[in-house]
Amino acid sequence: MSNYLKKYLPLFFLLPFLFSCTTHYISQWQNYDEESTLADDGTVMIKNDTIGVSHAFNNQDGTVLVRIENYSQTPILINLTKSALTINGKTFGYVDGKSTISGWLDTFGSANGGQVGSFGGEIVGKPNTLFVPPLSYVEGSFANIQPEVRNIVGNRFIGNQTYYPLFNYPINTNLVFYEDSKSPMKLNSFINYSLIDSNNNPIITKTVNQNFYLSGFFKVRNMGQKELNQNLLTREDLGSYSITKGQGAGLILFLGGLIGLAAIAADVEE
């Protein structure tokens, strides 16, 4: 390899990164239930003598993590078909009705020119109910809210550029805060549960309602994905999504640079 290639080739490998830019959009959710309780770990939850329900928004896939605790000596059955989450009145079921199909598929031609086939395998569906024994808890991730956040806030985001201690240290961010009455997004969660007897018959059925609103929105550029993910682990009130732009231009320059270097190397060898 010529001295030209040795000198300039590393630079072209960096081009896709130099011309790409990742922007992180971070949403902050606040609970506005008067009867809500702050747990020892900082989680906001609705709590009574029987049940405790809390929500976390920091899942990387955009789903909401729901934790349901049974404080009673009686088993509880959570009916997900009668539970739902709403964003600005639009309902998102905790059960999406989708199933996973696994197995094998055989097809072969028929005399009439068509195709027939056979399938062998199994269809696995998500549970419609959750059983919570006495003095225990259950967790599940449901309802991807990321597309709604991007649609409602992301395209019309206008904020102020400043340094703000979002993760206990100042970061350069474009931010906006919302009051309850002026928030562009209201999120309401409804969890239907029943106390059941030894024969799994409902003794009493109730619904726990928990309410949130979008209280802040932040746009951050000077932070890597790994650093962001680590910071979010300790902030259940924050959700995020990231958008990377410019990778295509960087790749084109990268390929063009390789072609140019190849031409230079050929000239030097001649």
Side-chain angles (χ1 to χ4, degrees):
M1 182 180 288
S2 68
N3 291 332
Y4 289 96
L5 285 174
K6 293 180 180 179
K7 183 176 181 180
Y8 294 108
L9 188 58
L11 176 62
F12 286 97
F13 279 108
L14 293 174
L15 282 175
F17 301 98
L18 294 175
F19 284 87
S20 64
C21 176
T22 299
T23 303
H24 307 295
Y25 296 89
I26 303 171
S27 55
Q28 184 173 28
W29 297 90
Q30 177 142 347
N31 182 282
Y32 61 96
D33 296 301
E34 294 182 358
E35 66 272 23
S36 61
T37 301
L38 186 65
D40 295 336
D41 60 357
T43 303
V44 178
M45 64 191 314
I46 293 293
K47 183 178 180 181
N48 56 41
D49 294 337
T50 302
I51 193 172
V53 180
S54 63
H55 297 67
F57 302 91
N58 55 351
N59 279 347
Q60 295 181 26
D61 61 0
T63 58
V64 179
L65 176 66
V66 181
R67 178 186 175 102
I68 303 171
E69 301 182 37
N70 183 1
Y71 302 128
S72 73
Q73 299 290 338
T74 304
I76 288 178
L77 194 67
I78 310 299
N79 191 338
L80 294 177
T81 61
K82 295 182 179 180
S83 303
L85 181 149
T86 69
I87 296 179
N88 291 358
K90 181 179 179 180
T91 301
F92 297 83
Y94 281 132
V95 179
D96 57 16
K98 298 179 181 179
S99 300
T100 301
I101 301 176
S102 59
W104 49 264
L105 179 67
D106 283 340
T107 61
F108 49 89
S110 66
N112 297 326
Q115 286 189 337
V116 296
S118 60
F119 171 79
E122 61 180 4
I123 300 177
V124 180
K126 297 179 181 178
N128 294 331
T129 57
L130 300 174
F131 179 80
V132 190
L135 305 177
S136 63
Y137 70 91
V138 65
E139 292 180 336
S141 295
F142 311 94
N144 185 355
I145 66 173
Q146 185 184 108
E148 286 299 302
V149 178
R150 296 179 64 168
N151 180 53
I152 296 175
V153 185
N155 296 334
R156 301 189 299 272
F157 174 57
I158 300 176
N160 299 314
Q161 192 75 27
T162 185
Y163 280 86
Y164 182 76
L166 181 61
F167 298 112
N168 298 322
Y169 61 92
I171 60 173
N172 187 12
T173 177
N174 190 267
L175 59 82
V176 61
F177 292 108
Y178 303 104
E179 297 178 359
D180 176 8
S181 59
K182 298 181 180 180
S183 175
M185 296 187 70
K186 295 289 183 68
L187 186 151
N188 311 103
S189 176
F190 301 86
I191 303 295
N192 181 276
Y193 72 96
S194 298
L195 277 71
I196 57 178
D197 58 22
S198 57
N199 296 318
N200 291 330
N201 295 317
I203 302 173
I204 185 173
T205 298
K206 293 184 177 181
T207 298
V208 175
N209 176 219
Q210 199 163 1
N211 304 290
F212 301 85
Y213 70 95
L214 183 69
S215 61
F217 202 68
F218 310 85
K219 181 162 63 176
V220 179
R221 287 195 174 95
N222 299 322
M223 180 179 294
Q225 189 68 54
K226 183 178 180 180
E227 181 183 359
L228 174 63
N229 293 340
Q230 290 176 340
N231 284 326
L232 288 175
L233 290 176
T234 61
R235 293 294 302 273
E236 295 185 348
D237 62 325
L238 300 181
S240 74
Y241 61 90
S242 302
I243 297 177
T244 300
K245 297 181 179 180
Q247 286 182 325
L251 182 59
I252 292 173
L253 289 172
F254 171 72
L255 295 175
L258 285 181
I259 295 173
L261 284 177
I264 293 173
D267 291 340
V268 170
E269 290 177 358
E270 292 178 358

